[in-house]
Amino acid sequence: MMEEEELEFVEDLDAILHLSPEVQLAIEHVFPSQDPLDRPDFNAVEYINTLFPTEQSLANIDEVVNKIRLKIRRLDDNIRTVVRGQTNVGQDGRQALEEAQKAIQQLFGKIKDIKDKAEKSEQMVKEITRDIKQLDHAKRHLTTSITTLNHLHMLAGGVDTLEAMTRKRQYGEVANLLQGVVNVLEHFQKYMGIPQIRQLSERVKAAQSELGTQILADFEEAFPSQGSKRPGGPSMVLRDACLVANVLDPRIKQEIIKKFIRQHLSEYLVLFQENQDVAWLDKIDRRYAWIKRQLVDYEEKYGRMFPEEWCMTERIAVEFCHITRTELAKLMRARAREIEVKLLLFAIQRTTNFEGLLAKRFSGSTLTDVPGKKPETPLEPTNPFLEDESEDNVSEKDEDLDRPKKPKAPENPFHGIISKCFEPHLYVYIESQDKNLGELIDRFVADFRAQGPPKSGTEEGGAVLPSCADLFVYYKKCMVQCSQLSTGEPMIALTTIFQKYLREYAWKILSGNLPKTSSNSGGLTISSLLKEKEGSEVAKFTTEELCLICSILSTAEYCLATTQQLEEKLKEKVDKSLIERINLTGEMDTFSTVISNSIQLLVQDLDAACDPALTAMSKMPWQSVEHVGDQSPYVTSVIMHIKQNVPIIRDNLAAARKYFTQFCIKFTNSFIPKFINHLFRCKPISMVGAEQLLLDTHSLKTVLLDLPSIGSQVLRKAPASYTKIVVKGMTRAEMILKVVMAPHEPPVVFVDNYIKLLADGNPETFQKILDMKGLKRSEQNSMLELFRQRLPTPPSGPDGGPSLSFSAPTPEQESSRIRKLEKLIKKRIQ
């Protein structure tokens, strides 16, 4: 029964002491403990098994029980102490709460007393300041009344005086008085409901209207629309009248300006009518000379009559420009067939000169408020007079395209104000440039045929063709000239012409003059250059032809870079809205094609020269070679051809080093696979023959590594990319020969050695190796079957298909093996 009661007690205690994980975690954080008895997942059985792991440990059970009882007593004492300490906590808390409530009540009473005192103080201040506010309001109203009465007195007196001075035409005094009356009247805008004020306002408006009518009549009398101008200079009355017009309605000022300018330019319309000889483009200078004289005459006679801020001189010039543009446009439409290029350029040049002169003399501030005229859309800043005048006489190569950009020129507000009328007729200029460029290309072709290709050993060899620089100098001249005429659609049309003749230059001058092989006299077809029969003599390019190819390559490179700069310059000159239509990418691709074709010609020429030597290698009886000697004759032949061609190409491409590197890489990528293919044709091969071929292969590898600097006095390290290609390709050739040299017995070792050295899972390659060793067909079949069995299972590639990958030996390891092989060969020779 006792045991059952204890079990029930334990179960009740577990239910009471079951804590949530959050509470348990907080307890562990506040009271960390490593004692197993404090763990929430305490297991009594496991704890007892820990205390008594074996039967022998039960001998200490009494000691363990005593320790646990002692620990229980200590826990009981601690619990008892804590419980007793908490007996008086509730009473102390209630007492503290009562004291806090009393303190809050006292604080609330003090706050209420302070609030009552503040309200009493505020009421006292209001009573004190009430009289002061009344006095302030009285003072402000009195001041306003006095000021208004003064203004009213000034307004009444001013209106009377204004009316009297108006009748007497005393404009000098009226100008100042009218401005003051208008300013005073503005203070009475809120009093317009008072009849007397409204009456004064109407009298001011009537006086202004009368002044406007009177001033216009005075100007009409002084400068009548019909007949000649009144003799003598302007009067002081009109000068003062202009000052009054500044204060009146702006329409009065605009009417005065309009009538004066119309009367001042009436003679111009008569002198330069459409039926007059001086009206045509060849005498356009006379128009500008006439306005210059008129402006000088105006400054002398009327400069002081009009206020300076009216800018009358500039207004006359601007109105002259608008009239001239309209008249010239009408005249050119009527006589369009008579317009020639030289005449058009002459007229445009004189006009742009005049526009530049206006920009230097005037600010252009009146262009936005010319009466009856809408402002011209401001064009891009392409003032021709801000360009260097010497650009038209440039005879050097296209150096100005390579110059750093100039700071942006200040905008010319008068640009196009007259010259815009020539834009519809610029097709004449564009057609002329089309014709001139066509003749220029034909002259280049004729000069090239007459002078012939550049000579080897001269400064011309490998240099840029002079015609290229001449073409771009002419392009620069046309571009600058056209940008002065227009920055709109004519520039796009000129760009199209440029594109046309850049392509013609690329095909007629560059590609058309690339040397052709004797087997291809009909035209240049790169793929047919090496279609010669094996073993036959292949016609090589002469030294002059090699120099010509290099010269064409250098010229194409220059054209490529300069065309890109030309595109940037055209985009700077053309309107922003048309920039996207400037695109010379197709022409740059054409020059890139010429460069690629030139490099391919050089590669295939050297490659074809080496073909007979490789053919001779494949026909040699390698099975009957008895001893290893120096390099074979075919190696000497290959090296001879390389030493003949490469120094010439390198010297002629000194200014285009990157293309010489491309030539070396392309030749190596072509020669090495061809060499390996011919190597597979050498069958059967004896052990000594394989050693001789290995020595030859190493010799070719050494020559190829030195190819970029062969025959040069200046030793320059080959590019890393090129060296990597040579080492990778020739190492494969060496590994092929090492496999051939290895014994084929036992077959398993031979197959494993092949897989390790060549890392090639293609059975066809393995078949070629067996052919080179001269094995019988039955032996080859068993070898091939064994090879297929010994191939490692390839992992699946990204596409799910098989993907063979073998770890090939590093180039350093192979170089070490080859050096050992060379030492072995030398010992055999000795």
PDB file of all heavy atoms in Angstrom, residues 202-217:
ATOM      1  N   GLU A 202     -11.210 105.953 -64.385  1.00  0.00           N
ATOM      2  CA  GLU A 202     -11.619 106.066 -65.789  1.00  0.00           C
ATOM      3  C   GLU A 202     -10.915 107.223 -66.476  1.00  0.00           C
ATOM      4  O   GLU A 202     -10.577 107.141 -67.665  1.00  0.00           O
ATOM      5  CB  GLU A 202     -13.130 106.238 -65.847  1.00  0.00           C
ATOM      6  CG  GLU A 202     -13.901 104.991 -65.411  1.00  0.00           C
ATOM      7  CD  GLU A 202     -15.398 105.251 -65.329  1.00  0.00           C
ATOM      8  OE1 GLU A 202     -15.794 106.425 -65.517  1.00  0.00           O
ATOM      9  OE2 GLU A 202     -16.162 104.289 -65.077  1.00  0.00           O
ATOM     10  N   ARG A 203     -10.679 108.327 -65.739  1.00  0.00           N
ATOM     11  CA  ARG A 203      -9.951 109.467 -66.331  1.00  0.00           C
ATOM     12  C   ARG A 203      -8.515 109.070 -66.665  1.00  0.00           C
ATOM     13  O   ARG A 203      -7.957 109.480 -67.692  1.00  0.00           O
ATOM     14  CB  ARG A 203      -9.971 110.638 -65.355  1.00  0.00           C
ATOM     15  CG  ARG A 203     -11.329 111.310 -65.213  1.00  0.00           C
ATOM     16  CD  ARG A 203     -11.309 112.382 -64.149  1.00  0.00           C
ATOM     17  NE  ARG A 203     -10.366 113.454 -64.500  1.00  0.00           N
ATOM     18  CZ  ARG A 203     -10.038 114.448 -63.672  1.00  0.00           C
ATOM     19  NH1 ARG A 203     -10.582 114.488 -62.446  1.00  0.00           N
ATOM     20  NH2 ARG A 203      -9.185 115.382 -64.061  1.00  0.00           N
ATOM     21  N   VAL A 204      -7.882 108.238 -65.785  1.00  0.00           N
ATOM     22  CA  VAL A 204      -6.504 107.768 -66.074  1.00  0.00           C
ATOM     23  C   VAL A 204      -6.503 106.903 -67.330  1.00  0.00           C
ATOM     24  O   VAL A 204      -5.634 107.048 -68.203  1.00  0.00           O
ATOM     25  CB  VAL A 204      -5.944 106.997 -64.863  1.00  0.00           C
ATOM     26  CG1 VAL A 204      -4.613 106.346 -65.234  1.00  0.00           C
ATOM     27  CG2 VAL A 204      -5.762 107.924 -63.665  1.00  0.00           C
ATOM     28  N   LYS A 205      -7.463 105.985 -67.456  1.00  0.00           N
ATOM     29  CA  LYS A 205      -7.529 105.126 -68.645  1.00  0.00           C
ATOM     30  C   LYS A 205      -7.765 105.954 -69.903  1.00  0.00           C
ATOM     31  O   LYS A 205      -7.186 105.683 -70.956  1.00  0.00           O
ATOM     32  CB  LYS A 205      -8.639 104.098 -68.487  1.00  0.00           C
ATOM     33  CG  LYS A 205      -8.346 103.057 -67.415  1.00  0.00           C
ATOM     34  CD  LYS A 205      -9.480 102.048 -67.319  1.00  0.00           C
ATOM     35  CE  LYS A 205      -9.204 101.010 -66.253  1.00  0.00           C
ATOM     36  NZ  LYS A 205     -10.312 100.034 -66.108  1.00  0.00           N
ATOM     37  N   ALA A 206      -8.610 106.971 -69.791  1.00  0.00           N
ATOM     38  CA  ALA A 206      -8.860 107.826 -70.951  1.00  0.00           C
ATOM     39  C   ALA A 206      -7.597 108.584 -71.345  1.00  0.00           C
ATOM     40  O   ALA A 206      -7.289 108.739 -72.540  1.00  0.00           O
ATOM     41  CB  ALA A 206     -10.001 108.801 -70.630  1.00  0.00           C
ATOM     42  N   ALA A 207      -6.853 109.061 -70.335  1.00  0.00           N
ATOM     43  CA  ALA A 207      -5.602 109.772 -70.625  1.00  0.00           C
ATOM     44  C   ALA A 207      -4.593 108.834 -71.298  1.00  0.00           C
ATOM     45  O   ALA A 207      -3.902 109.221 -72.246  1.00  0.00           O
ATOM     46  CB  ALA A 207      -5.023 110.346 -69.330  1.00  0.00           C
ATOM     47  N   GLN A 208      -4.523 107.582 -70.843  1.00  0.00           N
ATOM     48  CA  GLN A 208      -3.605 106.611 -71.463  1.00  0.00           C
ATOM     49  C   GLN A 208      -4.006 106.336 -72.908  1.00  0.00           C
ATOM     50  O   GLN A 208      -3.152 106.282 -73.809  1.00  0.00           O
ATOM     51  CB  GLN A 208      -3.605 105.304 -70.663  1.00  0.00           C
ATOM     52  CG  GLN A 208      -2.906 105.400 -69.318  1.00  0.00           C
ATOM     53  CD  GLN A 208      -2.980 104.099 -68.538  1.00  0.00           C
ATOM     54  OE1 GLN A 208      -3.993 103.396 -68.598  1.00  0.00           O
ATOM     55  NE2 GLN A 208      -1.933 103.792 -67.798  1.00  0.00           N
ATOM     56  N   SER A 209      -5.274 106.158 -73.145  1.00  0.00           N
ATOM     57  CA  SER A 209      -5.739 105.910 -74.508  1.00  0.00           C
ATOM     58  C   SER A 209      -5.438 107.098 -75.411  1.00  0.00           C
ATOM     59  O   SER A 209      -4.990 106.931 -76.557  1.00  0.00           O
ATOM     60  CB  SER A 209      -7.237 105.605 -74.485  1.00  0.00           C
ATOM     61  OG  SER A 209      -7.736 105.431 -75.787  1.00  0.00           O
ATOM     62  N   GLU A 210      -5.699 108.308 -74.879  1.00  0.00           N
ATOM     63  CA  GLU A 210      -5.430 109.499 -75.665  1.00  0.00           C
ATOM     64  C   GLU A 210      -3.935 109.646 -75.965  1.00  0.00           C
ATOM     65  O   GLU A 210      -3.540 109.986 -77.083  1.00  0.00           O
ATOM     66  CB  GLU A 210      -5.934 110.742 -74.921  1.00  0.00           C
ATOM     67  CG  GLU A 210      -5.753 112.041 -75.699  1.00  0.00           C
ATOM     68  CD  GLU A 210      -6.261 113.247 -74.925  1.00  0.00           C
ATOM     69  OE1 GLU A 210      -6.846 113.055 -73.831  1.00  0.00           O
ATOM     70  OE2 GLU A 210      -6.053 114.370 -75.403  1.00  0.00           O
ATOM     71  N   LEU A 211      -3.097 109.330 -74.978  1.00  0.00           N
ATOM     72  CA  LEU A 211      -1.642 109.398 -75.190  1.00  0.00           C
ATOM     73  C   LEU A 211      -1.230 108.414 -76.271  1.00  0.00           C
ATOM     74  O   LEU A 211      -0.403 108.732 -77.137  1.00  0.00           O
ATOM     75  CB  LEU A 211      -0.911 109.091 -73.887  1.00  0.00           C
ATOM     76  CG  LEU A 211      -0.790 110.224 -72.884  1.00  0.00           C
ATOM     77  CD1 LEU A 211      -0.236 109.705 -71.557  1.00  0.00           C
ATOM     78  CD2 LEU A 211       0.141 111.314 -73.431  1.00  0.00           C
ATOM     79  N   GLY A 212      -1.765 107.171 -76.235  1.00  0.00           N
ATOM     80  CA  GLY A 212      -1.402 106.179 -77.237  1.00  0.00           C
ATOM     81  C   GLY A 212      -1.768 106.623 -78.633  1.00  0.00           C
ATOM     82  O   GLY A 212      -0.959 106.536 -79.571  1.00  0.00           O
ATOM     83  N   THR A 213      -2.994 107.112 -78.804  1.00  0.00           N
ATOM     84  CA  THR A 213      -3.441 107.585 -80.123  1.00  0.00           C
ATOM     85  C   THR A 213      -2.605 108.772 -80.578  1.00  0.00           C
ATOM     86  O   THR A 213      -2.197 108.857 -81.751  1.00  0.00           O
ATOM     87  CB  THR A 213      -4.923 107.971 -80.050  1.00  0.00           C
ATOM     88  OG1 THR A 213      -5.676 106.856 -79.551  1.00  0.00           O
ATOM     89  CG2 THR A 213      -5.431 108.364 -81.417  1.00  0.00           C
ATOM     90  N   GLN A 214      -2.309 109.651 -79.659  1.00  0.00           N
ATOM     91  CA  GLN A 214      -1.562 110.864 -79.986  1.00  0.00           C
ATOM     92  C   GLN A 214      -0.132 110.537 -80.387  1.00  0.00           C
ATOM     93  O   GLN A 214       0.402 111.083 -81.364  1.00  0.00           O
ATOM     94  CB  GLN A 214      -1.578 111.791 -78.757  1.00  0.00           C
ATOM     95  CG  GLN A 214      -1.075 113.199 -79.028  1.00  0.00           C
ATOM     96  CD  GLN A 214      -1.349 114.097 -77.831  1.00  0.00           C
ATOM     97  OE1 GLN A 214      -2.497 114.401 -77.520  1.00  0.00           O
ATOM     98  NE2 GLN A 214      -0.300 114.489 -77.164  1.00  0.00           N
ATOM     99  N   ILE A 215       0.511 109.609 -79.682  1.00  0.00           N
ATOM    100  CA  ILE A 215       1.905 109.236 -79.991  1.00  0.00           C
ATOM    101  C   ILE A 215       1.971 108.526 -81.335  1.00  0.00           C
ATOM    102  O   ILE A 215       2.870 108.784 -82.154  1.00  0.00           O
ATOM    103  CB  ILE A 215       2.472 108.365 -78.857  1.00  0.00           C
ATOM    104  CG1 ILE A 215       2.683 109.217 -77.595  1.00  0.00           C
ATOM    105  CG2 ILE A 215       3.790 107.726 -79.276  1.00  0.00           C
ATOM    106  CD1 ILE A 215       3.072 108.414 -76.381  1.00  0.00           C
ATOM    107  N   LEU A 216       1.011 107.628 -81.597  1.00  0.00           N
ATOM    108  CA  LEU A 216       1.003 106.942 -82.894  1.00  0.00           C
ATOM    109  C   LEU A 216       0.825 107.941 -84.029  1.00  0.00           C
ATOM    110  O   LEU A 216       1.454 107.812 -85.093  1.00  0.00           O
ATOM    111  CB  LEU A 216      -0.108 105.901 -82.928  1.00  0.00           C
ATOM    112  CG  LEU A 216       0.107 104.645 -82.063  1.00  0.00           C
ATOM    113  CD1 LEU A 216      -1.124 103.738 -82.112  1.00  0.00           C
ATOM    114  CD2 LEU A 216       1.336 103.881 -82.519  1.00  0.00           C
ATOM    115  N   ALA A 217      -0.013 108.934 -83.792  1.00  0.00           N
ATOM    116  CA  ALA A 217      -0.211 109.965 -84.825  1.00  0.00           C
ATOM    117  C   ALA A 217       1.059 110.773 -85.037  1.00  0.00           C
ATOM    118  O   ALA A 217       1.414 111.115 -86.175  1.00  0.00           O
ATOM    119  CB  ALA A 217      -1.361 110.873 -84.414  1.00  0.00           C
TER     120      ALA A 217
END
